[in-house]
């Protein structure tokens, strides 16, 4: 059984049919990516999984439990943590305070020291900057903080919305290496991305979203060599 199973999902914004009958699976311990251009429906799909948007039809199961109509505030408690598009760190709060907010998402632990240490080991830049206001961090550091904040909830699965957005290639490499390390420590990852090539390099399996539909899917190692995909998405990024 897959950890996350999305089946025949349809999502509308009023009359706009944004997600058209899409199905995909995420197995435990994998990095799965949904790649696609602007407006393909990546964020809409993630928001449906995290309960922020209610699908018109279809189903979403997490660890065998149906969560299609579960309220958004209950989703993190089940073990799904979001890293939203644009990071959304609390700019006026310090790095430590941002991390602390992440811990509240799941049933409160009394002593967070162990949690902080776990995050700082994986994201050492955050330790150096733990007393700094999040708004003064660089874009890459803010992305790391958004990831660290999500990890504070000790999730089963991380849902990331375009973690590479607006970052320089070297910083993207850094972030993607961190994601690989997080996966190797046992956290499953579902990420949506426009940066198809970099993402497929770290993913196990990919789905291509086009105008709200899945147009292609397969092992990432195959997709990265697919002629149609190279022409459409990867051509000038090689
Ligand atoms: P981007 O990379 O630009 O974030 P995306 O792949 O995440 O793109 P979505 O944001 O999911 O795409 O949008 C999918 C479609 O739904 C687009 O056609 C978009 O215009 C439409 N859409 C998104 N949000 C709304 C909304 N609040 N109201 C109406 N239409 C919307």
């Amino acid at each position: 059984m897959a950890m996350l199973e999305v089946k025949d999902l349809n999502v509308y914004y009023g009359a706009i049919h944004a997600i058209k009958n899409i199905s995909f699976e995420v197995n435990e311990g994998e990095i799965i990516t949904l790649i696609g251009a602007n407006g393909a429906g990546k964020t809409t799909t993630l928001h449906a999984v995290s309960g922020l948007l209610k699908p018109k039809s279809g189903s979403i199961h997490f660890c065998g439990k149906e969560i299609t109509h579960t309220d958004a505030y209950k989703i993190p408690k089940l073990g799904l943590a979001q890293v939203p598009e644009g990071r959304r760190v609390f700019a006026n709060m310090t790095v430590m305070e941002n991390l602390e907010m992440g811990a509240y998402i799941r049933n409160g632990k009394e002593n967070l020291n162990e949690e902080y240490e776990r995050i700082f080991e994986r994201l050492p830049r955050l330790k150096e900057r733990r007393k700094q206001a999040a708004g003064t961090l660089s874009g890459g550091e803010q992305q790391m903080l958004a990831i660290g904040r999500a990890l504070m909830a000790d999730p089963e699965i991380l849902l990331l919305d375009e973690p590479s957005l607006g970052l320089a290639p070297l910083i993207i490499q850094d972030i993607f290496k961190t994601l690989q390390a997080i996966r190797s420590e046992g956290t499953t990852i579902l990420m949506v991305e426009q940066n198809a090539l970099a993402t497929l390099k770290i993913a196990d399996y990919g789905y291509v979203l086009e105008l709200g539909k899945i147009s292609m899917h397969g092992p990432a190692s195959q997709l990265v060599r697919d002629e149609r995909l190279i022409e459409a998405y990867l051509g000038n990024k090689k």
Side-chain angles (χ1 to χ4, degrees):
M1 185 184 64
M3 177 181 261
L4 182 68
E5 269 181 0
V6 174
K7 207 157 187 293
D8 302 329
L9 196 72
N10 284 284
V11 184
Y12 286 74
Y13 293 103
I16 298 168
H17 193 178
I19 294 299
K20 298 169 184 155
N21 225 38
I22 72 167
S23 300
F24 62 92
E25 291 186 350
V26 183
N27 291 317
E28 188 172 353
E30 287 185 340
I31 298 181
I32 300 300
T33 183
L34 305 181
I35 52 180
N38 267 126
K42 304 182 297 297
T43 301
T44 304
T45 305
L46 277 192
H47 282 176
V49 172
S50 54
L52 293 167
L53 284 171
K54 294 296 165 213
K56 184 151 193 179
S57 62
S59 66
I60 306 171
H61 284 81
F62 178 65
C63 295
K65 181 179 155 54
E66 177 153 19
I67 58 164
T68 323
H69 301 289
T70 302
D71 291 332
Y73 77 90
K74 291 183 182 156
I75 293 285
K77 292 192 200 310
L78 298 174
L80 300 97
Q82 280 194 76
V83 182
E85 184 170 2
R87 358 271 186 222
R88 307 265 179 97
V89 295
F90 303 106
N92 295 325
M93 292 165 82
T94 65
V95 165
M96 287 291 272
E97 287 164 347
N98 268 272
L99 291 176
E100 196 182 337
M101 295 306 287
Y104 283 125
I105 285 175
R106 226 169 165 188
N107 297 328
K109 284 194 185 145
E110 304 259 304
N111 185 352
L112 292 178
N113 286 340
E114 247 177 59
E115 305 294 315
Y116 289 130
E117 279 318 309
R118 188 169 57 85
I119 303 300
F120 289 149
E121 219 169 280
R122 175 54 51 220
L123 303 162
R125 285 297 286 274
L126 295 185
K127 186 169 192 176
E128 284 167 34
R129 294 171 186 272
R130 61 189 181 282
K131 294 189 179 141
Q132 195 170 319
T136 65
L137 298 175
S138 70
E141 288 163 354
Q142 288 192 16
Q143 186 61 61
M144 292 288 188
L145 178 55
I147 293 170
R149 183 179 56 187
L151 289 177
M152 284 294 284
D154 202 10
E156 315 299 329
I157 185 167
L158 268 188
L159 309 173
L160 294 115
D161 195 345
E162 296 206 40
S164 81
L165 195 70
L167 302 177
L170 277 179
I171 312 289
I172 296 174
Q173 261 184 34
D174 223 28
I175 294 205
F176 281 18
K177 267 191 203 145
T178 302
L179 292 177
Q180 279 180 303
I182 290 168
R183 181 269 293 274
S184 69
E185 284 159 10
T187 307
T188 306
I189 292 179
L190 170 63
M191 57 196 286
V192 308
E193 262 294 344
Q194 282 195 48
N195 190 338
L197 182 59
T199 311
L200 288 172
K201 280 185 177 162
I202 62 159
D204 296 291
Y205 201 89
Y207 294 83
V208 181
L209 260 183
E210 274 177 285
L211 302 174
K213 288 185 184 159
I214 289 174
S215 60
M216 210 187 287
H217 62 97
S221 57
Q222 274 176 30
L223 287 181
V224 89
R225 294 195 307 267
D226 186 282
E227 293 293 331
R228 271 186 306 156
L229 196 66
I230 290 170
E231 207 172 297
Y233 293 96
L234 307 177
N236 53 15
K237 288 190 181 160
K238 277 206 117 177

